[in-house]
Amino acid sequence: MDNIKNKVVIITGASSGIGEATAYKLAEEGAKLVLGARREAKLQEIVNNIKAQGGEAVYRVTDVTKPEDNAMLVELAKSAFGKLDAIFLNAGLMPNSPLSALETENWNAMVEVNIKGVLNGIAAVLPTFNEQKSGHILSVSSVAGLKVYPGCAVYCGTKWAVKAIMEALRMESAQAGTNIRTATIYPAAVQSELVSNITDEATSTAYRQLYDAYEIPAERVANVVAFALSQPDDTNVSEFTLGPTTQPW
């Protein structure tokens, strides 16, 4: 994909699942990666693997809920590679439970990571993208950002918020003539660590059974990210819904 080669791309939530798979996919296509996540050992392993295959990547331990951490990823991109072309806002949490379980700590964590983490990433890159009048912002929502499921209220709420934020960003960028493209991805059951963070026992069992029955590899989402990034600069493909062929969602 010629339009990906030499692009500098930040990926958050890059230490596992969709983020990790996307890092390998984009490196294979010739992108230069700036990886952010909380687990340094995993980030180091991924960067080492990319470099061993002849790719280019750097990392910084990142908590997306902290605006300063997001800003430092932008600075790292510029210092390591001299520019920034795109950011993939992938970090997310899904500790689902019925509202009656009152897992308020998990509610707040989802709001902090899934909504504020996306906003922090957008805030970090917009000054650069506005100034250069180009840039690409991609994010992960969920099929839970398109429909609501019981036992999933807060997660659905956060992912609907991502849908709204990203669509408004696309429209505002078009109106302002800043040429910033957006892409929002709505995966169904895709391999990740999301299910392992569910603490409500009944919900955890149900989701584990669902994912065991249907999940497809994270590489399938990585392919979609690469497709979005590979489009000509005058073309914005703003939304992608994907999931297992056999899953009724």
Side-chain angles (χ1 to χ4, degrees):
M1 297 182 181
D2 292 341
N3 209 29
I4 294 178
K5 189 172 183 180
N6 293 321
K7 278 188 174 177
V8 178
V9 183
I10 293 171
I11 301 175
T12 65
S15 62
S16 66
I18 291 170
E20 179 181 7
T22 302
Y24 287 131
K25 173 64 177 177
L26 297 184
E28 182 182 306
E29 297 292 342
K32 301 175 182 180
L33 285 309
V34 179
L35 307 182
R38 289 177 294 181
R39 292 176 291 183
E40 184 166 17
K42 198 72 173 82
L43 288 170
Q44 182 68 69
E45 177 188 350
I46 295 166
V47 166
N48 288 345
N49 289 341
I50 289 172
K51 288 181 175 178
Q53 295 298 316
E56 296 185 67
V58 294
Y59 77 87
R60 186 181 190 280
V61 175
T62 302
D63 181 344
V64 296
T65 68
K66 298 178 179 178
E68 60 273 20
D69 279 18
N70 292 268
M72 288 301 295
L73 283 177
V74 174
E75 291 307 310
L76 178 58
K78 292 179 178 179
S79 63
F81 301 121
K83 64 170 185 168
L84 176 61
D85 298 296
I87 186 168
F88 180 35
L89 302 168
N90 168 70
L93 298 175
M94 192 184 72
N96 286 337
S97 63
L99 288 170
S100 59
L102 294 177
E103 291 193 358
T104 55
E105 186 174 336
N106 282 334
W107 299 356
N108 290 327
M110 283 187 276
V111 169
E112 289 291 326
V113 174
N114 298 355
I115 300 178
K116 292 184 180 179
V118 167
L119 289 171
N120 288 338
I122 291 171
V125 300
L126 270 187
T128 297
F129 287 176
N130 283 332
E131 181 180 0
Q132 67 193 26
K133 292 198 181 308
S134 68
H136 207 154
I137 300 174
L138 306 94
S139 71
V140 175
S141 177
S142 168
V143 292
L146 298 172
K147 56 174 74 175
V148 175
Y149 302 89
C152 191
V154 178
Y155 183 73
C156 288
T158 65
K159 293 304 187 176
W160 280 72
V162 171
K163 173 181 171 62
I165 290 164
M166 291 294 291
E167 179 62 3
L169 175 61
R170 182 194 65 78
M171 292 188 287
E172 290 176 9
S173 300
Q175 289 175 337
T178 50
N179 305 311
I180 298 169
R181 296 187 290 166
T182 68
T184 308
I185 303 172
Y186 305 93
V190 172
Q191 178 272 322
S192 73
E193 295 182 350
L194 289 177
V195 176
S196 63
N197 294 320
I198 298 175
T199 54
D200 182 76
E201 187 173 343
T203 305
S204 176
T205 298
Y207 270 84
R208 188 66 271 164
Q209 291 173 345
L210 173 73
Y211 275 67
D212 285 347
Y214 294 116
E215 76 175 9
I216 54 177
E219 286 78 9
R220 305 297 186 261
V221 181
N223 291 338
V224 170
V225 175
F227 176 81
L229 286 168
S230 70
Q231 297 308 298
D233 293 342
D234 65 357
T235 302
N236 188 91
V237 187
S238 58
E239 293 187 310
F240 300 87
T241 304
L242 75 153
T245 301
T246 57
Q247 184 188 356
W249 305 358

